[in-house]
Amino acid sequence: MRDRWLVKLIRLLSALPLSMLYLIADGLFLILFYVIRYQRNLVIENLRGAFPDLSTQEIYKLARNSYRNTTQVLVEIIKAQRMDRSQLIRRAPIENPSAVQKFLDAGKSVLILTTHQCNWEWSQLACSAYFDYPVQVVYKPLSHPQLDSLLGNIRGRFDSQMIPARQSLELLKNRSQAKLIVLAADLGPRPDEKQVWHKFMHQDTAFYPGAGLIAQRLQVPVFFAAMTRTRRGYYCIRVEHLFDNAADATEESIMSAYVNALEKSISANPAGWLWLNKRWKYPKPDKGI
């Protein structure tokens, strides 16, 4: 019942102009960060581990800006329900789409690895809006079915096909068809799930192995999509070429290249990443996994 009313509220809010939604985001930021201090200790601890050389004041400022970013992204995702292709392309342009387009035009599928940096949902939608090829998005379903359905409808607005991570073998179908595969690979697995470990932001960090596995199975070119905010409500996406063909790399080297690109992107704009995530929730096992 609560989820149903929340979905209705989100749909109603999407009718508001972004200027009004940003006022709501500003109020939500003040409440979350200063009043109820939602997960504030977690965010500060995450930032301390990732940036050990920063002062307490600098860490606090980064945490504050991170919450401001998150609340802005939240209302932007709500507004995405009513944004058309031209609005998405204007607000989240891809700086160098030809780097990907040339592979698609040659009949090759392309894997774009993304991150929860800036507005990750607009990043995926921008890929769907830009390229005149099928887009498949690998995602992890939410535990609330009605919210998951709403988010799935938003993500699939420009004909993207949503594929749950547990069904990622679906990507192997129609392998001869040129398509774009989008995967946000920066979130961490549970202790009981498959994982690979990499040194990331000065810490041993577990990642899902899916990115390297999918790239190897498909034997496709691999890119990293870095997103930066140019001003409120506007972003720029740049795709970074990692591999011409994943068949010439190992799963480990693919993940290492992704982690390096991810760390570089976060270090350039640390407040833009989703620090609310419990990214370092358990230590690396002594014998590895």
Side-chain angles (χ1 to χ4, degrees), residues 29 33 43-44 46-48 50-51 54-70 201 266-273 275:
F29 155 69
F33 189 76
V43 171
I44 288 174
N46 282 346
L47 286 166
R48 280 177 178 160
F51 300 99
L54 294 185
S55 67
T56 299
Q57 291 79 8
E58 289 171 320
I59 292 293
Y60 182 86
K61 183 179 179 181
L62 272 182
R64 184 180 62 199
N65 289 340
S66 171
Y67 275 76
R68 191 182 298 278
N69 171 77
T70 301
M201 303 305 293
I266 294 171
S267 298
N269 179 24
W273 201 53
W275 297 99

Side-chain angles (χ1 to χ4, degrees), residues 232-248:
R232 184 178 250 194
Y234 291 86
Y235 299 87
C236 181
I237 302 167
R238 181 169 182 80
V239 288
E240 177 184 339
H241 185 204
L242 300 183
F243 296 97
D244 270 345
N245 189 337
D248 300 326

